[in-house]
Amino acid sequence: MQRHEPYGAETASVSADAPIVSIRDVRKFYGSLEVLKGISLDVLKGQVVCIIGPSGSGKSTLIRCINGLSDVQQGSISVAGTEVNDARLDVVALRRKVGIVFQQYNLFPHKTVLENVMLAPRLVLKESRASAEQRAKALIAKVRLTGKEDAYPGELSGGQQQRVAIARSLAMRPEIMLFDEVTAALDPETVKEVLTTIRELAADGMTCILVTHEMGFAREVADHIYFTDGGVIVEHGPPAEVFSNAKDPRTRRFLSQVI
Amino acid sequence: MIRDKVHARSSVLLMNVTRIRWQHVVGAAVLTVVALAATLILQSEPESPVATLVRWMPFILEGFGLNLVMSFLAMLLATLLGVPLGVAQVSRVYLVRTVAKGVTHLFRNTPWLVVLFTVMYVMPMTVDLGLTRVDISDWAKATLAFALPVMGNISEIVRGAIVSVPTGQWDSAQGLALTRRQTMTHIILPQCVKRSLPSWMNWYALLTLATPMAAILGVREAVGSAQAAMEAGGGRPDFLIPFYLFLLCLFFIYIYPIALLTKALEKKHAAS
Ligand SMILES: Nc1ncnc2c1ncn2[C@@H]1O[C@H](COP(=O)(O)OP(=O)(O)OP(=O)(O)O)[C@@H](O)[C@H]1O
Ligand SMILES: [Mg+2]
């Protein structure tokens, strides 16, 4: 299992261009259904990687495996020096390094915006109230929601809720951010405000792995694109290549449908 | 009024006396005595059932106070035991989950009366606390007995509420590096409170309505007190209707507003 690990015992600090996320031959089963059929991909620090592909091709499953929300049966997943597919995994330590944002926002409905953002730093990082609050307010400002600190999620638009979800993840100071179709539940106007937030994050040097159906956005921000179908990566490369010169017929068919 | 009539009658007799002989006077005197005796007997005839009820009302209300105390304590106990039991029902540890389910279903599916008798006979009369011996009174045993079935039902309500929280809440909490325990206490359970409040109140109402069962064990709660009062008042059958009607009203006046509030909360929850 460790065979494919690119940098064995050493950690991410080895070299600047060693991948911060490295997935090797990952297989995942739901019962007898094989959902990931040997996936490999690498993400360098500061890179933005987009995963695109038809529904049911395993994109969400793949992204959830990176922070241990889903387990895998085979292969290795190395995240900032931590092996995820390991029985001795310290899952809390892993998740402190990896933020995740979902399609359905999943804000805590019984807590205000400020409380949503402050919660994990207080509980997990054991930050003082004052420091957590100060950072939370700065992050809320960063996603352009100053003034909404005391609102409850139910009082916000979808786009606003999604930006709170991003701020909430950032409050944990992650090294890597995962986005699973974060704009898919939004109407076209609010998609833009969320994409702006992600674009700024990418420009700040955050390592981002995005599952998205926003082809224009993927083309614009991604350093690398992975195309999945039926639990395998059928094609990958820089956006210009994949979008204009897709070699695999499945990629071509999918792109012709969505663009 | 009756006495006035009797007086009138005897004075009529006395008026006649002037015209008749002394034997008649004696006879009249005897008659008067009989009439007076009759008056006295009439006077000491049992008071009306309603009057008896009114006289015993403070005693019955005091008993009702014990119904309320038992209902509060039993509900508190049922909640303190039922919530962790409900959480244990969704534990990832097989043994914990199985035991919690067993306990829950045992107490949900047995008659309250049987639980009551069981607790009565299983629990010791006194507990030795080393230095002092504590008597466990019957009402305390009854309180525990009422708490157990409600505990089972609260456990099930809590389990249902936990699984009805969208899985996305678990995903995002765990994605933020919260442990399972932190997720449960800070994210999941707080959202269960609103969901389960109406059912919780419903069980409180049912519990309160069940407290008169303690009368079977001789606990002087409202019904037991009413029965004792009827006994003390002479145990007449005509007591039954007013006394039990009074008990009916007593419980209804207390429970019905709770039922209305439960309905209102249910509606509010369904709307939100
Ligand atoms: N909890 C689960 N139990 C069983 N099967 C599952 C489960 N979650 C996902 N699957 C299956 O795994 C496959 C991949 O699902 P996944 O959600 O990863 O796809 P996706 O690419 O994200 O699709 P979409 O674009 O619709 O979000 C699907 O066939 C799905 O039915
Ligand atoms: Mg998906």
Side-chain angles (χ1 to χ4, degrees):
Chain A
M1 231 193 268
Q2 297 285 312
R3 195 159 39 95
H4 295 287
E5 246 229 304
Y7 38 83
E10 286 145 306
T11 57
S13 59
V14 172
S15 101
D17 39 319
I20 188 166
V21 175
S22 179
I23 298 175
R24 285 288 169 277
D25 299 326
V26 157
R27 287 174 189 275
K28 158 105 190 147
F29 296 84
Y30 280 115
S32 60
L33 175 71
E34 191 173 13
V35 177
L36 301 179
K37 304 173 180 168
I39 296 244
S40 297
L41 66 81
D42 287 313
V43 182
L44 300 180
K45 194 166 171 53
Q47 259 192 338
V48 176
V49 165
C50 287
I51 301 169
I52 58 178
S55 182
S57 62
K59 308 181 296 293
S60 298
T61 309
L62 176 61
I63 214 168
R64 290 166 61 93
C65 289
I66 296 173
N67 72 345
L69 278 182
S70 290
D71 59 343
V72 298
Q73 278 71 48
Q74 258 185 58
S76 94
I77 302 171
S78 167
V79 177
T82 303
E83 175 52 48
V84 179
N85 188 19
D86 182 336
R88 294 158 305 167
L89 169 70
D90 179 353
V91 77
V92 169
L94 167 71
R95 289 173 185 161
R96 280 170 65 160
K97 293 189 263 190
V98 185
I100 186 163
V101 183
F102 305 90
Q103 178 176 339
Q104 293 301 335
Y105 338 128
N106 299 343
L107 292 180
F108 306 132
H110 59 301
K111 295 193 177 289
T112 63
V113 167
L114 187 65
E115 288 166 347
N116 264 277
V117 180
M118 279 173 66
L119 181 89
R122 293 276 288 141
L123 278 181
V124 181
L125 306 179
K126 313 286 180 204
E127 259 182 59
S128 73
R129 172 174 292 280
S131 135
E133 186 169 332
Q134 193 196 349
R135 286 205 310 116
K137 284 184 170 156
L139 285 166
I140 291 166
K142 189 183 160 92
V143 297
R144 300 192 179 84
L145 284 171
T146 301
K148 295 288 184 192
E149 288 86 351
D150 295 325
Y152 282 90
E155 301 162 359
L156 301 180
S157 74
Q160 290 172 328
Q161 288 190 56
Q162 196 57 290
R163 283 180 287 153
V164 175
I166 294 172
R168 181 177 67 171
S169 262
L170 292 176
M172 289 297 284
R173 295 193 244 250
E175 294 174 37
I176 301 152
M177 284 290 287
L178 310 174
F179 297 91
D180 188 1
E181 296 196 45
V182 294
T183 57
L186 303 176
D187 48 75
E189 282 100 87
T190 49
V191 165
K192 241 190 269 165
E193 56 192 38
V194 173
L195 293 183
T196 302
T197 302
I198 300 174
R199 194 180 286 118
E200 286 169 357
L201 209 58
D204 287 350
M206 175 67 78
T207 307
C208 298
I209 303 175
L210 302 110
V211 172
T212 185
H213 284 147
E214 299 288 332
M215 297 306 153
F217 182 72
R219 179 175 232 152
E220 172 206 329
V221 302
D223 295 305
H224 209 84
I225 296 209
Y226 286 88
F227 183 83
T228 58
D229 192 6
V232 294
I233 289 168
V234 294
E235 189 154 4
H236 69 96
E241 220 170 90
V242 173
F243 280 115
S244 354
N245 256 322
K247 289 177 198 76
D248 194 281
R250 287 167 292 188
T251 318
R252 280 210 292 270
R253 187 165 1 105
F254 180 74
L255 290 176
S256 70
Q257 277 162 7
V258 292
I259 294 177
Chain B
M1 235 166 50
I2 295 168
R3 200 192 309 194
D4 289 350
K5 257 189 208 157
V6 173
H7 274 300
R9 199 143 42 112
S10 52
S11 54
V12 169
L13 287 170
L14 284 171
M15 275 198 301
N16 293 340
V17 165
T18 49
R19 281 179 263 147
I20 54 179
R21 293 177 305 187
W22 67 270
Q23 287 93 339
H24 290 118
V25 176
V26 172
V30 169
L31 269 176
T32 310
V33 168
V34 169
L36 280 172
T39 312
L40 280 174
I41 287 165
L42 265 176
Q43 226 178 359
S44 71
E45 186 199 28
E47 62 191 334
S48 72
V50 173
T52 313
L53 173 62
V54 169
R55 195 149 53 79
W56 286 100
M57 222 174 246
F59 181 66
I60 297 173
L61 286 173
E62 203 183 305
F64 187 65
L66 185 55
N67 289 82
L68 297 187
V69 169
M70 284 196 293
S71 73
F72 296 151
L73 291 179
M75 199 61 189
L76 183 70
L77 193 60
T79 307
L80 289 179
L81 297 173
V83 173
L85 197 60
V87 173
Q89 278 203 77
V90 297
S91 166
R92 277 184 307 177
V93 182
Y94 175 80
L95 190 68
V96 173
R97 197 169 61 227
T98 310
V99 170
K101 278 188 197 301
V103 173
T104 299
H105 291 302
L106 174 69
F107 286 111
R108 284 188 73 204
N109 299 299
T110 40
W112 292 29
L113 194 59
V114 176
V115 176
L116 183 63
F117 281 131
T118 309
V119 169
M120 211 61 198
Y121 297 127
V122 166
M123 264 185 94
M125 304 280 274
T126 54
V127 178
D128 217 333
L129 289 177
L131 295 171
T132 51
R133 288 168 69 81
V134 176
D135 286 331
I136 301 176
S137 45
D138 286 347
W139 72 262
K141 287 185 184 180
T143 302
L144 173 66
F146 297 137
L148 292 174
V150 180
M151 168 195 78
N153 285 287
I154 288 179
S155 165
E156 196 56 19
I157 291 167
V158 169
R159 188 198 63 79
I162 290 172
V163 300
S164 77
V165 173
T167 56
Q169 293 289 308
W170 285 95
D171 286 345
S172 60
Q174 303 203 307
L176 287 165
L178 268 68
T179 61
R180 201 179 150 83
R181 176 182 286 257
Q182 287 171 329
T183 305
M184 191 59 98
T185 54
H186 290 89
I187 308 301
I188 307 299
L189 287 179
Q191 295 185 52
C192 292
V193 173
K194 222 165 89 184
R195 280 160 211 263
S196 32
L197 197 59
S199 321
W200 185 85
M201 284 171 56
N202 192 37
W203 279 104
Y204 174 69
L206 287 171
L207 166 65
T208 309
L209 293 177
T211 51
M213 261 195 267
I216 301 168
L217 308 175
V219 174
R220 282 292 165 86
E221 46 65 69
V223 176
S225 300
Q227 285 167 344
M230 286 188 274
E231 200 66 38
R236 284 164 29 207
D238 60 346
F239 286 161
L240 291 172
I241 290 172
F243 272 72
Y244 279 108
L245 271 179
F246 174 66
L247 288 171
L248 210 106
C249 294
L250 200 55
F251 279 92
F252 181 79
I253 288 168
Y254 180 63
I255 296 296
Y256 191 56
I258 297 177
L260 289 180
L261 189 60
T262 307
K263 256 235 159 65
L265 278 176
E266 255 164 17
K267 255 200 198 122
K268 209 177 119 195
H269 187 233
S272 69

